[in-house]
Amino acid sequence: MHHVIERWRALKTDARRYLLHLAILTLSLSVVGLYYNLAVLALGYSRGFLGILQTVTQAVAALLSLPLWLGVQRLGLRAAIITSVALYAAGILLFAAFPQAALLICSAALMGMASVLMQVTAAPLMMRLSNDATRDDLFSASAAVAVGLSGIGNLGAGFIADTLSHVLGAPADSGATYRAVFAIAGIGVLASLPPLFLIREPERAPESPLPESGAMPSGTGSFFDGLPSWLSVAQPWFRRLPTPLRALLRKPALVAKLLLPPFLISWGAALLIPYLNLYFRERFGLDNRALGVLFAGFDVATGLASLTGPALAARLGKMRTVAVTRAIGVPLLLILGAASDLWLAIAAALARVMASNMASPLYDAYAMEQTEESARPFMIGLLGAAYSIGFLIAPLISTFVQERYGFGPLFVATAILYALSVAVTWWFFGKERP
């Protein structure tokens, strides 16, 4: 632990300011994440409508991705993150103030836009705020803060809901209580803005020597130098593309390889992960406070586990670490779905989230290292889209299956998709050396 603290101290002041912003934002958003499904149902809406809200969030994100990515180039990374925070706050406060169906859909759309902006700006900004010596540590620290403090936020959410329930004289699982909780969460999101205003955004990231594994060129020379022959016929059309997109298209095979594993994960995750709170409530009868404590434990443990990612990557390599840790999570997911004992389910879920998520920041860092600096917002945006695309349809499938067959088939389908993701990650990148 002392070694970890020393490496965190090596981070630049602006990097630590970013982590402070992320900590405040995460604490607030975790409350929304924990109670969103329960709040929608408590307001009297069906699971079908809940699936529609999930789909709207992802559909808006997908439809507006390209305009928002282009907007990042004009706004700058720091301004884009500030805009994302404002959109998150607007969506959450709209949910709290006006829970009518049409406005809940607008709220979901605002949060979808916010998520896209956050996805495409966070990793490129961290690249600018770090160097070769601190990059893995900053990415892993951001994951530890995001996930670990999400757990603390989940823990506090239960106490906030109980306190507001007492003040309002309403049940802890009532729509009125959840709306009050969301109002406090929205204010908390706005409180994450001051550290962002203090960050001095560097004009460019410090460049590292690109690996031999097919990294994208820096953009010097003609775009058509080395362009695959099957694309050469489209030269006039490609000349009209923004420079970052042209940089990505120099290495279409590498981009496709980087996108396929998260694409598969998105379908599995969308079927099950957003509904695990419902699963624990319905299968084991946990109340709000118990759910908060449980998911807090999951997130804190995952945050601590993510700190071990750089050390493991130093031995195995970034992508081998991703494949191995995610592979361990697959059988644990099946154990979670089959468990009839609460403590076995908790143990399996805890081990799964630690194994499956500890290397996620390493995947992002690897993708950023393979990408030209000007194209990084596009690349991380494509990764975000790949991680999200399953949410366009899978939530509707999931709620349909839950109502008719329960959670069993969802655990099996998710495990299969996660296993396929591990297989292609190893196939594409397993030869990587540390």
Side-chain angles (χ1 to χ4, degrees), residues 126 133 135 221 284 311 376:
M126 286 191 289
R135 184 156 301 132
F284 301 106
R376 283 171 183 158

Side-chain angles (χ1 to χ4, degrees), residues 303-316:
L304 293 174
S306 68
L307 296 177
T308 67
L312 194 56
R315 292 177 175 270
L316 300 179

Side-chain angles (χ1 to χ4, degrees), residues 154-208:
N154 286 339
L155 183 61
F159 294 97
I160 292 173
D162 286 348
T163 301
L164 291 174
S165 170
H166 178 73
V167 171
L168 297 173
D173 57 355
S174 67
T177 298
Y178 288 132
R179 288 173 60 194
V181 170
F182 277 34
I184 292 175
I187 295 170
V189 168
L190 291 174
S192 73
L193 285 172
L196 288 178
F197 291 126
L198 296 176
I199 291 176
R200 298 180 299 276
E201 180 185 342
E203 292 186 4
R204 294 187 67 83
E207 295 292 342
S208 15

Side-chain angles (χ1 to χ4, degrees), residues 201-221:
E201 180 185 342
E203 292 186 4
R204 294 187 67 83
E207 295 292 342
S208 15
L210 292 171
E212 297 178 359
S213 57
M216 298 175 193
S218 63
T220 58

Side-chain angles (χ1 to χ4, degrees), residues 79-89 113-118 121 189:
I81 290 186
I82 291 171
T83 303
S84 171
V85 171
L87 289 171
Y88 266 129
M113 294 171 62
S115 70
V116 171
L117 278 176
M118 190 65 67
T121 52
V189 168

Side-chain angles (χ1 to χ4, degrees), residues 32-223:
V32 178
L34 178 65
Y35 288 142
Y36 191 85
N37 295 339
L38 303 175
V40 172
L41 298 181
L43 289 169
Y45 296 104
S46 68
R47 291 200 187 205
F49 183 70
L50 176 60
I52 290 172
L53 290 178
Q54 296 277 5
T55 299
V56 165
T57 299
Q58 301 303 327
V60 167
L63 291 173
L64 296 181
S65 287
L66 185 57
L68 290 174
W69 298 348
L70 294 173
V72 170
Q73 303 296 314
R74 295 177 177 272
L75 285 174
L77 297 175
R78 188 188 67 157
I81 290 186
I82 291 171
T83 303
S84 171
V85 171
L87 289 171
Y88 266 129
I92 295 168
L93 293 173
L94 183 61
F95 187 111
F98 304 104
Q100 291 80 19
L103 294 176
L104 290 183
I105 291 174
C106 292
S107 167
L110 288 172
M111 287 191 275
M113 294 171 62
S115 70
V116 171
L117 278 176
M118 190 65 67
Q119 285 170 358
V120 302
T121 52
L125 181 60
M126 286 191 289
M127 291 293 288
R128 290 192 178 182
L129 299 178
S130 63
N131 53 37
D132 288 348
T134 62
R135 184 156 301 132
D136 285 355
D137 294 296
L138 179 56
F139 273 76
S140 294
S142 70
V145 168
V147 181
L149 288 183
S150 178
I152 295 175
N154 286 339
L155 183 61
F159 294 97
I160 292 173
D162 286 348
T163 301
L164 291 174
S165 170
H166 178 73
V167 171
L168 297 173
D173 57 355
S174 67
T177 298
Y178 288 132
R179 288 173 60 194
V181 170
F182 277 34
I184 292 175
I187 295 170
V189 168
L190 291 174
S192 73
L193 285 172
L196 288 178
F197 291 126
L198 296 176
I199 291 176
R200 298 180 299 276
E201 180 185 342
E203 292 186 4
R204 294 187 67 83
E207 295 292 342
S208 15
L210 292 171
E212 297 178 359
S213 57
M216 298 175 193
S218 63
T220 58
S222 171
F223 165 67

Side-chain angles (χ1 to χ4, degrees), residues 243-263:
T243 300
L245 283 180
R246 297 204 304 267
L248 289 179
L249 287 171
R250 282 181 174 274
K251 295 290 183 180
L254 177 62
V255 173
K257 289 177 181 179
L258 288 169
L259 294 181
L260 183 55
F263 173 82

